[in-house]
Amino acid sequence: MVVETNSTLLRGLLGLSPAGVGDLSSSSGEAAHPRALAHLGDGVFELLVREWAMARLGLLQVEQLHNFSIGLARAETQVACLQWLLPQLNEAEGVLYKQARNMPVTQSRRNQQGLYRQSTGFEALVGWWYLHNPERLLLLEMWFLTIYEISV
């Protein structure tokens, strides 16, 4: 699995040890910073959305794929997915989500603070799953299949 190979490389580069479900700490015992996980999760989610866009739309013009993808890779979509995911999170994932959600919001995002806080929490979860538990990313695929009827 490509995700597993890439996450192994990233764990090594970041000094993180393989962790079991519920263990959100690095090899040094320090917790991975939620903002760093959110940064990674944002990129992972966008990549997954692009893959789903191609699965749904096929090989269209790049502009059409881009427009479809940016319609999905946005805070509103992430929060909709998060609402579906919340009941399925384990305790440690719930704590990580809340830590990331409660971080300060940049000045430019203050008018939609609640939306962006939840989105940041979602992205932190996706980043952690990518590094430590790629199988959990299948939950995102299940959500997309359910909501958007995307066949992959």
Side-chain angles (χ1 to χ4, degrees), residues 13 31 34 55 74-75 81 85 103 110 113 122 124 126 137-138 147:
L13 291 172
R74 41 187 301 147
C81 185
L85 284 172
M103 291 186 308
R110 296 209 183 219
Q113 194 173 96
F122 171 82
V126 172
L137 292 173
L138 293 176
I147 301 304

Side-chain angles (χ1 to χ4, degrees), residues 3 46-56 69 150 152:
V3 170
E46 184 171 344
L47 178 61
L48 292 174
V49 164
R50 288 176 182 213
E51 287 179 8
W52 290 320
M54 289 188 71
R56 174 148 189 189
S69 296
I150 296 174
V152 290

